[in-house]
Amino acid sequence: MNERPQPNRLAGGGIIDRAKPLAFQFDGVPFSGYDGDTLASALMASGVKLIGRSFKYHRPRGIFSAGPEEPNALVELRSDARQEPNTKATTTELFDGLVANSQNRWPSLAFDLLSLNQLGGSLLSAGFYYKTFMWPASFWEKVYEPLIRRAAGLGAASGLDDPDRYEKATAFCDVLVIGSGPAGLSAALAAGRAGARVILCEDDFRLGGRLLAETMTVDEAPALAFVEKAEAELASLPQVRLFRRTHVFGVYDGNTYGALEKVADHYPVPPDHLPRQRLWRIVAKQAVNAMGAIERPIAFANNDRPGVMLASAVRTYVNRFAATPGSRAVIFTASDDGWRTASDLTQAGVTVAAIIDPRAGNTAPASAPASAEAFSGGRIIKAYGGMSGVRGVDVLYRGKRHHIVCDLVAVSGGWNPQIGLTTHVGGRPSWNDDKAAFVPGTLPPGMIVAGAASGAFSLHACLAAGAAAGTKAAALSGKSSAAAPLPRAEDEPSRAAAFFHVAEAKGKAFVDLQNDVTVSDVALAHREGYSALEHLKRYTTLGMATDQGKTGNLIGQALMAELAGKSIAELGTTTARPPHSPLAIGALAGLHRGKHFKATRYLAAHERALAHDAVMTEAGQWLRPSFFPRAGEADWLAAASREARTVRNAVGICDVSTLGKIDIRGPDAALLLDRVYTNLFSTLAVGKARYGLMLRDDGFVMDDGTTARFGEHHYVMSTTTVNASKVMQHLEFCHQALWPQLKVAMASVSEQWAQFAIAGPKSRDVLAAVLGASIDVSDAALPYMGVAAFSFGPMTARLFRLSFSGERAYELAVPARYGAGVHDRLVKAAADFGGCLYGLEALNIMRIEKGHVAGNELSGRTTAYDLGLHRMLSTKKDFIGRTLAARPLLCEPGRQRLVGLKPRKAQDRLRSGAHILKPGAPLDAAHDEGYITSGAFSPALDSWIALALIAHGPERFGEIVRVYDPVRDGDTLAEIVPHIFVDPKGERVHG
Amino acid sequence: MAEAASNLSSASPFSSLLRIGGAAEAGIVVAERTGCGLASLTLIGDDLAKLSQVVEEAIGLALPSGPKRVARDGFCLLGSGPKSWFVLARDRSLMDRLATAIGTYGALVDQSDAYGVLSVSGAKARALFEKGLSVDLHPDVFGCADVAVTLCAQVGIILWQAEEAEFRLALYRSFAASFWHWLQESAAEYGLRVEGMTGRG
């Protein structure tokens, strides 16, 4: 491989492997980096300063931070379907073959036409959209919004299906440790040594946090040695799990945490056996929040120029990645911490030209290098430079301006503890004047905050707090231990002043870099009355970008507090909600997408039906044969019509296994059925079945089906496919809550039995051929509505003489393991008698011809009276729904009631959903008289027919109505007829 | 003329899905368990002590209370809900003996065909279940005396361990293919070996 030059890479040091060079591309240009780099550190080492253009003004932007708080260095990672916009270069682990592109620029990063927005900058101030794109309203969707989106879009999605796999998983532990900096590592060690089940989550691909980025020592050795020792010890503890590349993004009720593990983001393409990302639900008895703190910047003019960076990030690049962000630096720090940047830079050979500390009279916490001029009580008012980076700064010191030439400005305005997670279940942070930061207030149950995340910033303090928190968390989860001696570390000075912006700055001073919110935007919001924080946020979009204002929010809040004459504590803060950092939707879906969105249920004879060319359709979660097309048939209608004719003329076989089946046993089984059905079942003879109707409490129809009696105390109920579990729940509710004293037990046996309908005049012949001498199927032995259990070879089978088609028909139930075998035998026997398989379409045609109600009619809005089933409401007993079904309005003749419809022209299609009106009536809702519930082409009548619910329906037989279906351009006339079209006297079931 | 019913083919829920084979060092080992009896048992009335007594007299196992498992001599009882259990029997005739003993104290309903039963073992079995279950399977928490009636990848399952780290699960047969899809995808990173069918228990 041809290594590319890395001009800003130090010859030694850093936690990178110079023996493993990696090739990558940025904006089509080849570059090199090393194993251990991030995309940002590799670009920096390669001397790339300009990474992207800003959101609104298209200003040139570089690398600002070294972590997930990055507002500037956002790139489009990968290409084609794997293209991922707004990816932070600072957290993107470098891999060989990485391809990234800058975003928000056109036509190129260096020459961006839209950067002209900068010139019209005053037009684009806060509230610009609200004020400018108001009129005319119709312009918004078609003109303004697309225009704004093109100009302001931050990256682009590929628009293609995500080709990768995602997983979801759940883990349990005693102690969850969030973050592996000094506090997190010592918490995990303490809890792990106590024997607790520990999960340690670290965003980065390496454990260590700030320990990787600072030149401090632990136990007189470099901090990295401590990290490696701790890592080895944790790995040796069997109850400790280390989750690297895992971001804890949310806290939820029940001590549950959400975390995203980037399993394979560091490969160009995930290996086949790995998901790209895995979403974890972690249930932790206790959690130690050691997420650390984020350094905040200071707002001055042009503080967004490439080369203006957080001081801590400068140290990270120099110390961890051996990459120098510049050659001549100015440090602007309001914190003790920022001073340490000077010695680290000097050691790396970078000249430190000046250290500016706005704290007047501050005694320097560290000595400044000889080259550096120290401006105690000074401030930077403006940076100079452009695309190629910062070129110098103006310092205001004792009333005079000093210009200092530099190509790097390291800024430290102090540290903000990462309070986000502590507020996810309703906690509020509190302002701490001493630390000049918000610190965690009320905490989620079971959470301890340790180290910098709680405002304890020194290394010694972090190690001590972590150990104490780990020990305490383990003890609270039942694992106690003696405290181990603490490693020795510096208690370095870590004071910071509440210094957020330079008042004397003129020009654009940025508060929120990602959303281009400036100091003057905040002032404008205040002038226009949007001084409440939630208003400020929405008016200026402060903190609303993908970085959620991790670096900028507090500055905006402090500015507003100043303007409003309040303290920061009085003004408060906005509410943080999960996720702490953005998540891919794919991770939230896991494996459950596309056809795996829900589990699919397959029939025992599914493969057999496919062998007969079944076209499957979804029925709830089930797949069922819809029809069985044959050569020469034009469409589904031709196939279904042929199947229905075959049933009426010969015989057909239909898989009805999906119907719900509930086994009901016990001395009070009959009593329970009498109470849940509207009609009597205690009077049903053993060996017989009866059609039953169930109402809800409110008197509307819930479900229907047949129930068979196999013994004095043994019934088997059938339900519709979709209501199988609902009816089971209903029965269990009735038993457990209403009548626990009833001696009865229910069991769902829907899956135990494969069940087939054998329907048609030749059905008995088919059964005789298949069942042979196993059972007598003569009418004398098995009359209409008779049932029997019988031995059939190795099994006990059940035979029901029921009919949904109106023809002589049976249902044969066999244990499911025999479903496929019995299916084949029935099909073969049926073929011998001129029969065929039939699917849901034919089944539906025949039930409409017979006027049987199904799902469309049992919609939850119909009563027994509406459906013409009111004679099934027994007057001899009480049953669920009886009282409320008798409400006058539910038995009112003007209700929409079930009738049949026949079009004037047989070929005019009647579709469900079409509206019924009087011919000539206005086409409006006020004149709507009802609608078609089910329509079908009837082969028996050679005409379209329909079931419909029509006002006063059964009183209007013979009347012509208009069938109006504007959605599908249907408009025809039809006659209201009785809802039973075929064999109204019901003679064919005996035929 | 009717074909002999004794020649009827039968198919277990996973028989068309599982293909025997896989690496010896696979982290997940799966086998379908077929051939024995599975039934649901529900108390009828309120005399739990009596039902437990007749069951114990018949098979030497008292009914467990809560989501617990007991096993002995070809029988295994799994607590599956309030006043309900699953009974696994090494063969059908054993189940008949139990049915006779229970009489009217409970409802013993044959579910042998309603469920598929898988054995899942191997070094990564617990890691696999993390991807579908919201149940803590740590050995300190979920032992051989424990049962979970829960969802795994949206599919209802009953889960127990026949011995330490040898998991068994039962699920409705219609869900077998969807469940198998989840299992294959989730086991991909550990390696998957499918072994031949074995008896239930």
Side-chain angles (χ1 to χ4, degrees):
Chain A
M1 190 187 82
N2 252 351
E3 271 193 62
R4 305 278 164 174
Q6 299 177 44
N8 292 352
R9 183 77 77 180
L10 296 171
I15 312 170
I16 47 169
D17 188 347
R18 288 177 176 77
K20 287 186 190 156
L22 306 171
F24 70 101
Q25 275 188 25
F26 179 65
D27 276 347
V29 180
F31 290 101
S32 290
Y34 294 119
D35 192 47
D37 261 328
T38 62
L39 174 58
S41 69
L43 285 168
M44 184 170 286
S46 302
V48 177
K49 286 219 154 180
L50 178 63
I51 309 289
R53 291 275 176 175
S54 75
F55 180 56
K56 204 156 83 176
Y57 302 122
H58 290 249
R59 284 168 70 102
R61 292 285 166 83
I63 294 162
F64 183 71
S65 76
E69 67 271 31
E70 179 63 32
N72 277 349
L74 308 178
V75 298
E76 274 169 15
L77 191 65
R78 304 188 170 88
S79 55
D80 303 321
R82 289 192 171 83
Q83 180 176 308
E84 192 186 327
N86 299 326
T87 306
K88 295 160 191 142
T90 51
T91 58
T92 300
E93 191 174 345
L94 193 68
F95 53 83
D96 205 39
L98 179 149
V99 173
N101 284 294
S102 59
Q103 44 187 38
N104 214 28
R105 71 339 188 224
W106 186 83
S108 75
L109 182 56
F111 184 75
D112 176 17
L113 281 178
L114 288 165
S115 64
L116 292 173
N117 279 357
Q118 289 179 69
L119 305 178
S122 58
L123 290 177
L124 286 169
S125 59
F128 167 69
Y129 301 120
Y130 303 126
K131 291 168 186 163
T132 311
F133 297 115
M134 293 284 284
W135 315 102
S138 61
F139 265 42
W140 176 251
E141 219 172 288
K142 292 208 166 71
V143 182
Y144 294 150
E145 200 188 348
L147 196 76
I148 293 167
R149 289 212 181 279
R150 193 177 323 126
L154 208 54
S158 72
L160 302 170
D161 277 355
D162 187 335
D164 294 327
R165 211 159 53 80
Y166 297 82
E167 284 181 353
K168 293 202 273 193
T170 306
F172 296 81
C173 63
D174 294 325
V175 180
L176 168 67
V177 180
I178 308 166
S180 72
L185 279 181
S186 36
L189 281 171
R193 285 169 184 159
R197 293 167 65 190
V198 174
I199 292 177
L200 173 63
C201 290
E202 169 55 54
D203 278 5
D204 203 294
F205 51 92
R206 277 202 78 125
L207 301 188
R210 287 298 306 161
L211 291 173
L212 303 177
E214 303 286 6
T215 50
M216 306 173 100
T217 62
V218 180
D219 281 340
E220 281 83 44
L224 183 62
F226 168 75
V227 173
E228 283 171 346
K229 209 171 123 222
E231 195 169 350
E233 182 178 347
L234 290 171
S236 74
L237 295 170
Q239 303 273 62
V240 175
R241 301 172 74 178
L242 303 177
F243 286 16
R244 294 177 185 82
R245 304 182 176 99
T246 302
H247 169 65
V248 177
F249 62 78
V251 186
Y252 302 88
D253 288 336
N255 292 23
T256 303
Y257 295 79
L260 184 76
E261 183 185 4
K262 294 184 171 176
V263 181
D265 270 8
H266 55 297
Y267 298 96
V269 171
D272 278 346
H273 64 286
L274 286 183
R276 174 145 172 212
Q277 298 180 347
R278 186 180 291 139
L279 190 83
W280 286 95
R281 208 158 60 101
I282 300 174
V283 184
K285 288 180 188 158
Q286 298 290 321
V288 176
N289 178 344
M291 290 180 80
I294 288 176
E295 197 166 28
R296 58 182 181 241
I298 299 169
F300 52 87
N302 292 340
N303 61 333
D304 64 326
R305 290 297 181 218
V308 178
M309 297 175 65
L310 292 174
S312 59
V314 169
R315 297 199 297 279
T316 302
Y317 288 109
V318 169
N319 297 329
R320 176 175 175 182
F321 298 110
T324 52
S327 57
R328 189 177 158 85
V330 163
I331 296 165
F332 184 23
T333 176
S335 76
D336 296 348
D337 198 68
W339 283 77
R340 280 189 290 119
T341 316
S343 57
D344 290 5
L345 281 172
T346 309
Q347 208 161 13
V350 178
T351 306
V352 179
I355 303 180
I356 300 117
D357 192 326
R359 296 175 292 181
N362 183 48
T363 46
S367 56
S371 64
E373 224 177 323
F375 296 93
S376 186
R379 57 207 58 194
I380 293 179
I381 52 173
K382 186 172 184 179
Y384 294 88
M387 275 186 333
S388 51
V390 66
R391 289 193 306 269
V393 292
D394 278 352
V395 173
L396 186 67
Y397 180 62
R398 293 185 178 164
K400 287 197 188 118
R401 272 173 104 116
H402 300 254
H403 185 79
I404 301 167
V405 173
C406 64
D407 61 359
L408 172 66
V409 182
V411 183
S412 175
W415 291 81
N416 290 336
Q418 294 225 55
I419 51 175
L421 289 192
T422 67
T423 66
H424 281 183
V425 289
R428 302 297 294 176
S430 58
W431 176 256
N432 184 312
D433 271 325
D434 190 40
K435 300 184 188 300
F438 279 105
V439 295
T442 45
L443 294 176
M447 181 188 279
I448 303 170
V449 186
S454 70
F457 295 121
S458 85
L459 180 52
H460 169 79
C462 286
L463 290 167
T471 305
K472 184 179 172 196
L476 288 172
S477 66
K479 306 279 165 43
S480 294
S481 67
L486 273 181
R488 286 178 307 280
E490 212 182 328
D491 207 359
E492 77 278 10
S494 56
R495 290 158 299 148
F499 188 83
F500 302 101
H501 74 113
V502 176
E504 298 86 351
K506 300 270 183 286
K508 281 203 190 319
F510 286 86
V511 174
D512 180 329
L513 289 161
Q514 199 182 349
N515 264 355
D516 272 353
V517 180
T518 62
V519 170
S520 52
D521 287 330
V522 177
L524 180 69
H526 175 251
R527 282 202 304 282
E528 297 191 345
Y530 299 101
S531 49
L533 275 193
E534 297 291 348
H535 290 161
L536 169 69
K537 171 178 165 181
R538 283 157 186 81
Y539 195 61
T540 63
T541 71
L542 171 68
M544 288 169 74
T546 56
D547 69 344
Q548 292 284 288
K550 287 187 175 63
T551 52
N553 267 357
L554 185 61
I555 298 175
Q557 292 165 14
L559 269 166
M560 184 54 83
E562 224 174 279
L563 292 164
K566 291 180 176 175
S567 70
I568 294 175
E570 281 169 333
L571 200 65
T573 182
T574 53
T575 308
R577 296 184 187 84
H580 189 66
S581 285
L583 297 181
I585 294 288
L588 295 171
L591 283 181
H592 303 294
R593 64 181 204 177
K595 72 177 178 133
H596 299 292
F597 181 67
K598 271 261 188 195
T600 303
R601 304 178 74 175
Y602 293 93
L603 296 161
H606 178 81
E607 297 293 333
R608 306 311 309 143
L610 290 181
H612 290 278
D613 301 320
V615 172
M616 294 288 175
T617 188
E618 290 173 7
Q621 280 176 276
W622 288 98
L623 280 185
R624 298 185 68 181
S626 180
F627 56 98
F628 297 84
R630 287 188 177 170
E633 285 173 345
D635 56 11
W636 66 272
L637 186 57
S641 298
R642 185 251 311 149
E643 290 165 17
R645 271 192 302 269
T646 307
V647 171
R648 299 235 182 267
N649 297 330
V651 62
I653 309 293
C654 184
D655 195 329
V656 293
S657 304
T658 62
L659 294 178
K661 307 169 204 76
I662 299 170
D663 185 283
I664 303 166
R665 291 182 202 206
D668 292 329
L671 186 54
L672 177 76
L673 289 172
D674 279 350
R675 290 178 181 180
V676 296
Y677 273 134
T678 63
N679 47 335
L680 272 170
F681 278 80
S682 51
T683 56
L684 182 67
V686 172
K688 287 289 221 173
R690 182 170 286 168
Y691 175 74
L693 187 69
M694 247 180 240
L695 305 186
R696 299 191 309 229
D697 292 325
D698 62 4
F700 287 82
V701 175
M702 181 168 101
D703 200 53
D704 70 346
T706 55
T707 288
R709 191 170 198 173
F710 282 94
E712 179 64 18
H713 298 152
H714 184 202
Y715 291 81
V716 173
M717 173 187 286
S718 74
T719 75
T720 56
T721 300
V722 286
N723 283 337
S725 54
K726 192 163 104 185
V727 171
M728 182 72 192
Q729 280 170 11
H730 179 64
L731 295 182
E732 284 291 354
F733 173 80
C734 291
H735 181 216
Q736 292 180 29
L738 304 182
W739 312 303
Q741 71 283 5
L742 289 188
K743 292 190 165 176
V744 62
M746 273 80 66
S748 168
V749 290
S750 301
E751 295 260 7
Q752 169 69 15
W753 302 90
Q755 196 154 320
F756 303 95
I758 304 101
K762 301 282 188 194
S763 54
R764 184 169 50 181
D765 301 317
V766 170
L767 278 180
V770 170
L771 301 177
S774 304
I775 182 172
D776 179 0
V777 290
S778 69
D779 286 356
L782 193 68
Y784 180 56
M785 298 305 268
V787 300
F790 63 102
S791 284
F792 177 43
M795 73 183 101
T796 299
R798 289 171 179 172
L799 191 59
F800 307 76
R801 187 162 166 201
L802 308 169
S803 179
F804 199 47
S805 59
E807 301 301 318
R808 168 188 286 276
Y810 303 83
E811 287 184 17
L812 175 64
V814 297
R817 78 185 65 180
Y818 301 110
V822 166
H823 175 274
D824 281 358
R825 290 200 179 181
L826 289 169
V827 172
K828 189 158 168 273
D832 292 343
F833 292 93
C836 68
L837 277 161
Y838 67 102
L840 273 185
E841 291 296 346
L843 184 92
N844 199 38
I845 290 170
M846 290 186 281
R847 73 101 188 159
I848 294 171
E849 287 178 335
K850 284 297 296 177
H852 289 310
V853 292
N856 292 3
E857 289 77 31
L858 306 176
S859 60
R861 293 180 297 174
T862 49
T863 65
Y865 179 76
D866 299 339
L867 302 176
L869 297 171
H870 44 288
R871 279 183 298 277
M872 291 186 68
L873 309 184
S874 171
T875 52
K876 298 178 186 143
K877 57 153 188 152
D878 203 359
F879 55 86
I880 289 180
R882 181 187 184 203
T883 307
L884 293 186
R887 283 179 285 176
L889 280 175
L890 296 192
C891 316
E892 208 263 310
R895 287 182 62 83
Q896 295 182 354
R897 293 152 65 196
L898 188 71
V899 289
L901 279 180
K902 257 186 96 170
R904 296 294 293 276
K905 296 177 198 150
Q907 73 278 15
D908 277 358
R909 185 166 182 179
L910 302 181
R911 288 186 169 97
S912 55
H915 291 266
I916 308 301
L917 298 115
K918 283 200 174 72
L923 295 172
D924 57 26
H927 294 84
D928 193 3
E929 299 201 304
Y931 63 100
I932 291 179
T933 53
S934 307
F937 181 79
S938 165
L941 277 68
D942 201 24
S943 167
W944 282 89
I945 58 170
L947 299 178
L949 291 165
I950 300 179
H952 292 284
E955 301 160 25
R956 298 167 65 180
F957 293 145
E959 187 180 326
I960 302 295
V961 290
R962 183 172 177 183
V963 180
Y964 182 55
D965 185 10
V967 178
R968 291 156 296 194
D969 293 329
D971 194 355
T972 186
L973 295 173
E975 179 185 348
I976 298 179
V977 297
H979 66 281
I980 305 175
F981 294 89
V982 168
D983 184 28
K985 290 184 180 159
E987 290 160 343
R988 296 179 66 96
V989 292
H990 304 289
Chain B
M1 198 54 234
E3 286 180 70
S6 55
N7 295 339
L8 260 175
S9 66
S10 79
S12 67
F14 286 93
S15 58
S16 65
L17 299 165
L18 272 58
R19 295 281 170 270
I20 293 170
E25 67 276 14
I28 304 292
V29 182
V30 173
E32 182 177 15
R33 301 185 66 85
T34 59
C36 314
L38 199 162
S40 58
L41 172 61
T42 313
L43 174 69
I44 293 180
D46 49 16
D47 199 345
L48 178 59
K50 184 67 187 175
L51 177 64
S52 191
Q53 185 198 326
V54 298
V55 170
E56 189 165 4
E57 282 166 9
I59 63 172
L61 290 171
L63 291 171
S65 174
K68 293 290 176 183
R69 166 184 177 267
V70 291
R72 178 178 169 174
D73 296 343
F75 274 103
C76 174
L77 299 178
L78 308 172
S80 60
K83 301 176 190 172
S84 67
W85 300 265
F86 273 90
V87 186
L88 293 145
R90 197 171 50 215
D91 66 58
R92 295 281 188 101
S93 59
L94 287 175
M95 202 68 98
D96 292 342
R97 197 175 85 206
L98 181 61
T100 309
I102 286 169
T104 56
Y105 296 111
L108 188 74
V109 178
D110 186 13
Q111 302 276 15
S112 304
D113 290 66
Y115 289 87
V117 179
L118 288 182
S119 152
V120 179
S121 58
K124 292 291 182 181
R126 287 192 177 88
L128 172 75
F129 284 120
E130 280 190 334
K131 300 184 188 185
L133 279 185
S134 298
V135 175
D136 189 358
L137 296 185
H138 190 278
D140 295 350
V141 180
F142 191 86
C144 289
D146 293 299
V147 174
V149 179
T150 183
L151 288 176
C152 185
Q154 303 184 346
V155 175
I157 66 161
I158 309 157
L159 180 78
W160 68 100
Q161 281 177 102
E163 50 191 272
E164 166 60 26
E166 207 240 290
F167 293 92
R168 301 275 170 88
L169 59 92
L171 68 153
Y172 276 144
R173 70 178 291 141
S174 69
F175 288 107
S178 283
F179 187 81
W180 185 238
H181 169 259
W182 165 80
L183 195 150
Q184 280 184 300
E185 294 274 309
S186 302
E189 65 177 298
Y190 312 123
L192 173 63
R193 186 170 80 246
V194 176
E195 296 189 335
M197 288 188 267
T198 47
R200 270 178 189 163

